[in-house]
Amino acid sequence: MKQKLSLYVKRNLLLIILLVIFAMFSGFFIWASDAAKPGKDSEEAMKGTEMVDVIHNKLIKFIPVTPYQKGLILYPGGKVNPKAYSEIALAAAENGILTVIVPMPLNLAFFGSNKADDVIGEFPEIEAWYLAGHSLGGAMGCQYVKNHEGVMEGLILLGAYPAGISDLSESDIDVISIYASEDGLSTVEKVNNAKAYLPDDTQYVLIEGGNHAQFGDYGKQNGDGEAKISRYEQMKRVIDEILKFIDL
């Protein structure tokens, strides 16, 4: 009798553990899937122009209609719909740069840091690749560069910074870090503290009055500071700096 009772308890305990694990996974899946939605300007950019064709399948590709030699890969921020960065992609493509936004598993670049390989494999004609990333996307972009030395011509950090595990201080890659004074997540202090992990010749561009969410087009973000400039002003500055960097 005691043996049967013990077996019954063990079976129920195992069932409870499995249910708890399932509930935790389901909760995480629901949380991660609830990505910030792109705004109207981004949705408009997704339509492309006479100069740029937009193809959205597994990747979001902004393809110039004229010949191109340079490519830009863009990693989205955590829990942000990748379309929210389409204004940057469209502007780059209009300037002759093949640009690809990479949707991430569960909207978290942590699970897709090597996704740039998919893009590079699809466009072998590109002579120089650049990798840009916002927030978590930037941190994972640093990880990709760390693990794939010599693949990227340049790295563009948007409200992002590397962790110690992605130390690029000895790398010869060109890097630009674009950050914002009112960013409540990738704060100025955090960016400054991470400078030791980037090359000495890294370019740092501070956008006065900008915040974290305005590196994309997805509305306000919890924990972020209040921007003192418009999203349009910040986006224009970001695009100008990216184009200038890639043109070096």
Side-chain angles (χ1 to χ4, degrees):
M1 184 70 174
K2 287 184 178 180
Q3 188 175 6
K4 289 183 178 180
L5 183 60
S6 177
L7 182 61
Y8 175 81
V9 170
K10 287 181 180 179
R11 286 177 176 174
N12 278 274
L13 182 60
L14 178 60
L15 177 61
I16 291 171
I17 291 173
L18 290 174
L19 287 173
V20 169
I21 293 174
F22 177 77
M24 291 175 63
F25 178 80
S26 298
F28 175 78
F29 181 83
I30 293 171
W31 172 82
S33 300
D34 185 25
K37 295 178 174 57
K40 292 181 179 179
D41 292 336
S42 290
E43 293 287 7
E44 186 65 27
M46 283 291 298
K47 298 176 182 177
T49 65
E50 293 182 356
M51 300 169 60
V52 179
D53 293 326
V54 179
I55 301 175
H56 186 187
N57 39 42
K58 291 183 179 180
L59 302 168
I60 306 177
K61 295 168 279 192
F62 290 73
I63 305 175
V65 297
T66 55
Y68 48 83
Q69 296 177 323
K70 296 180 178 180
L72 173 64
I73 300 170
L74 207 162
Y75 283 5
K79 291 189 64 184
V80 178
N81 187 301
K83 293 180 182 179
Y85 303 93
S86 58
E87 290 170 290
I88 295 174
L90 180 62
E94 285 180 331
N95 282 272
I97 303 165
L98 169 78
T99 306
V100 181
I101 307 174
V102 182
M104 291 294 173
L106 294 177
N107 298 300
L108 295 170
F110 179 82
F111 297 114
S113 63
N114 292 327
K115 286 287 185 178
D117 289 340
D118 297 340
V119 183
I120 294 171
E122 187 169 337
F123 297 96
E125 69 274 21
I126 294 297
E127 297 179 1
W129 283 106
Y130 295 80
L131 179 57
H134 175 225
S135 194
L136 178 62
M140 292 300 101
C142 292
Q143 187 66 41
Y144 180 86
V145 170
K146 175 74 174 180
N147 295 334
H148 298 78
E149 186 176 352
V151 173
M152 293 294 166
E153 188 77 16
L155 174 65
I156 301 164
L157 301 177
L158 306 175
Y161 54 90
I165 195 174
S166 306
D167 189 345
L168 299 174
S169 59
E170 300 299 320
S171 174
D172 60 0
I173 190 172
D174 293 328
V175 181
I176 184 171
S177 174
I178 307 173
Y179 59 119
S181 64
E182 309 308 311
D183 191 327
L185 300 171
S186 296
T187 63
V188 172
E189 181 181 10
K190 290 178 181 178
V191 171
N192 287 335
N193 288 341
K195 285 184 176 181
Y197 302 131
L198 291 174
D200 290 338
D201 60 354
T202 297
Q203 299 179 44
Y204 291 93
V205 177
L206 176 64
I207 300 180
E208 291 288 352
N211 69 359
H212 196 75
Q214 289 188 168
F215 280 106
D217 177 26
Y218 56 91
K220 293 186 177 182
Q221 187 167 356
N222 289 337
D224 198 6
E226 193 70 32
K228 297 179 180 178
I229 60 174
S230 69
R231 197 190 68 80
Y232 173 81
E233 291 177 89
Q234 182 167 341
M235 184 59 64
K236 183 179 184 306
R237 180 76 186 279
V238 168
I239 290 171
D240 288 346
E241 293 294 342
I242 289 175
L243 294 177
K244 185 167 62 175
F245 176 74
I246 293 178
D247 194 46
L248 290 177

